[in-house]
Every structure is written in C-alpha cells, then in structure tokens.
Amino acid sequence: MGSDSPIALSTLVADDDGVFTLSFLLLPEYAMVSLLSAIEPLRIANRLLEKEVFRWQCLSDGGEVVTASNGMALQPSHHFQQVSAPRNLFVNASFHPERHINERTIQWLRTLQHQGGIIGALDTGCYLLAKARLLDHRKVTLHWEALPSFQERYPQIEVTHELFEIDGNYITCAGGTAASDMVLYLIAEYGGSDLAKLVCDQLIKNGMRNRSDNQKMDWMKRMNIHHPKVLKALKLMSENIENPLTTKEISILLCISSRQLERLFMQYFKCTPAAYYLGLRVEHGKHLLSDSSLSVTEIALATGFSSTAHFSCRYKERYGMTASKYRSMIK
C-alpha cells in the first residue's frame, strides 16, 4: 500500500500506515456511554487480530479535559486544530448540544468536508453538523429523545429512527450502546462477520443488532400489551402529534367503534383514548422545551395545540408548572 493512497472500506478511510483512526470530537456534556461503546469494540478487535487495525483519539475545542454528562472526565483531549486532519471524525454530544457550538468549530468542519473522509456523529452530535450545513438533504439518525426537536429545527434533513445511518461519507448514530452496533458493523466490514461475533462474545453481547432495529423498546414489550388494536392505536397516536387524530378517526382506521376503543383504553390504561393521547402530546412538548430552541408558541403548534395558553394549561396540569417556567429552569 502506497503512503499516498490510503485504503478505504465502503465507509472508513485508513491512515497512510494502513490503520483506521477514529477521531471523536467531544462537546461538553457529551455521553460517555456512547464514546466507550464505540472504543471498546475497536480495542477488542485489535486484541483478537493481534495487531493494530484500529486506533482512536479524542479531540476538543482547546485541547482541555471535557466533562461528560455524568460529571466524569477522561484524559485531556487533543486540540482539534493542532492535529492532522481526521479522516474519520465523529462528533460526540448529548445534552444541550446547541449551547456548545461556535463558529471556529463550524469552519473547521467545513474544511474537513472539502478534504474528504468520513464525518459522523454520535447521539446529538448531528446538531453541530447540521449547524455547519453539512447534512442538508442527507439521511441521519440521532437519539430518539432529541429527534423531535431536531426535526423541527432542521426540516430539510431526513431523520430516521435507525440505530445508525450511513449516507455516502456521513455516518450518524443514535448514541448509547447503539454506538457499539455501529462499530461492530465497521469491524465486520474489515474482518468479516465472524470477527464481529467474536467481539460480541468478549462484550457479553448477544449478537449485533441491525441498523433498522428500533431505538426504543416497542409498545408490546415496554407496556406488556399484546392487543393488536391497542398497539395500532398507540402507533397512530405517536405518529400524529402535530396534527392529532380524533378518537373517531382512530377508531375508523382500526375498524372498530369509538365505544369499543374507549373500553380498551379504560381496560389497559384506566383513561380514555383522548386523555392518553393528550398525555403523549404534552410529554412530546416537554422534550421540545428541553432539547430545542423553539419558542413555547412554536412548541404548542408542533404538539397540536391551538394556542400557547391551551398548551401551557395542559402542561401545568401534568407537570405542576407552566411550560415557560420549566423552560426558564433548565436554561
């Protein structure tokens, strides 16, 4: 292999010495579980192969220790402007990603884009890439909790619920332990599925999840509900937050009567379908309040309420304070 022609998988690009380096740009409050879930499979793969195939480095804006969301910090990171241009970069963020975005980092990312290579994100790292306009008209994924606010903020970007997405030279991941599934996919690209399975065994992990597996446990497992009509109703509600369906519309789609639907919800949830649906919408509003820069008025509209006052009233009934007060407490 010539030193001026690094090899590439369908995704990762190797350094001149043939080793694949994954660089992680850490934003304050990043998710440490995502970082370690990505790094540990690489370490194990190297050990099983008895050679260095993968390496990793952590980068930051300033080269200082970056505190994760759990209050812990790893060894000091390298200043991103003082290292060779990464060929495989992943932005790792979690809570409040927009607070930690600055123009210096944006310009650096745009320079990397022009140089080629892989640019990716773990958890909410997509926010930084989107702010740099690197993801327009791309398909991406991120943590399910931040997904609604990201969709509202960047409607030009196609968002999925996958564990990880690969769109050209962009790789995005939902974060958490899904980072291990993403890296296992990359390991399998290099050494085949048998190597990836051996890494799983070392991690005491029961196989690789497919990228299309759900981020969240489905309704059946989470709530121990098996009635097909109830499961379908819950799916319809969760997919229609901004433009809520009426109980009658849901019952028509389920091919049952409104009265039967109400009996089912009283049986399983001790409340009416309308009350349960309202709770889902208000909970969705809470995620938007904490994870987006949308105004309370915009959030009210995004959750299907006709006015800010109506949204705030329902929010206070559920959480004991107004939406505006909650927003002021977390900023």
Side-chain angles (χ1 to χ4, degrees), residues 74-318:
L74 302 177
Q75 63 187 35
S77 305
H78 303 289
H79 193 308
F80 66 74
Q81 292 182 319
Q82 297 176 354
V83 298
S84 300
R87 290 173 175 170
N88 307 287
L89 177 76
F90 294 85
V91 179
N92 192 1
S94 183
F95 295 111
H96 313 117
E98 292 185 298
R99 293 183 186 176
H100 310 298
I101 296 175
N102 59 60
E103 191 61 29
R104 178 174 56 253
T105 308
I106 287 174
Q107 290 304 320
W108 179 70
L109 287 170
R110 288 174 177 166
T111 300
L112 283 184
Q113 181 193 36
H114 293 308
Q115 294 176 353
I118 299 301
I119 297 180
L122 307 180
D123 205 320
T124 62
C126 284
Y127 272 92
L128 177 53
L129 301 184
K131 185 70 173 178
R133 301 303 297 269
L134 303 185
L135 298 179
D136 288 3
H137 311 297
R138 292 284 182 178
K139 184 183 292 187
V140 306
T141 190
L142 66 162
H143 194 285
W144 64 265
E145 195 172 32
L147 195 149
S149 59
F150 186 85
Q151 284 183 307
E152 292 289 339
R153 182 76 172 80
Y154 299 103
Q156 76 277 17
I157 299 173
E158 183 181 352
V159 181
T160 76
H161 290 78
E162 311 288 81
L163 294 179
F164 60 95
E165 279 286 358
I166 300 176
D167 186 349
N169 63 327
Y170 291 89
I171 306 177
T172 53
C173 172
T177 59
S180 67
D181 297 288
M182 177 192 74
V183 170
L184 285 166
Y185 173 88
L186 300 175
I187 290 171
E189 268 204 321
Y190 176 85
S193 60
D194 287 344
L195 174 61
K197 290 174 183 176
L198 289 172
V199 174
C200 284
D201 288 342
Q202 292 293 319
L203 290 168
I204 320 296
K205 180 176 169 63
N206 188 22
M208 296 168 54
R209 290 182 291 178
N210 295 319
R211 72 171 78 177
S212 59
D213 286 356
N214 290 327
Q215 291 187 31
K216 295 172 66 178
M217 190 182 299
D218 61 31
W219 295 105
M220 184 186 298
K221 294 178 181 177
R222 185 157 26 121
M223 307 182 76
N224 195 29
I225 294 173
H226 301 274
H227 196 292
K229 297 296 184 181
V230 175
L231 293 172
K232 178 64 175 177
L234 294 175
K235 188 172 187 293
L236 286 169
M237 290 176 179
S238 65
E239 292 175 348
N240 294 274
I241 296 293
E242 187 169 353
N243 298 295
L245 303 170
T246 65
T247 298
K248 184 176 181 180
E249 288 171 330
I250 294 173
S251 63
I252 290 172
L253 290 170
L254 296 178
C255 299
I256 61 176
S257 68
S258 298
R259 190 168 181 179
Q260 184 180 355
L261 181 61
E262 290 181 350
R263 282 200 299 268
L264 286 170
F265 267 73
M266 288 302 297
Q267 175 185 344
Y268 284 97
F269 306 111
K270 311 303 180 187
C271 66
T272 65
Y276 189 91
Y277 202 174
L278 178 64
L280 281 182
R281 290 161 54 205
V282 174
E283 182 181 8
H284 183 79
K286 185 177 183 182
H287 290 319
L288 292 177
L289 285 167
S290 60
D291 296 326
S292 80
S293 58
L294 297 174
S295 68
V296 175
T297 299
E298 290 172 322
I299 292 172
L301 294 174
T303 49
F305 291 94
S306 57
S307 68
T308 305
H310 187 201
F311 170 64
S312 292
C313 179
R314 296 301 190 184
Y315 191 93
K316 186 174 182 179
E317 287 177 358
R318 185 172 179 86

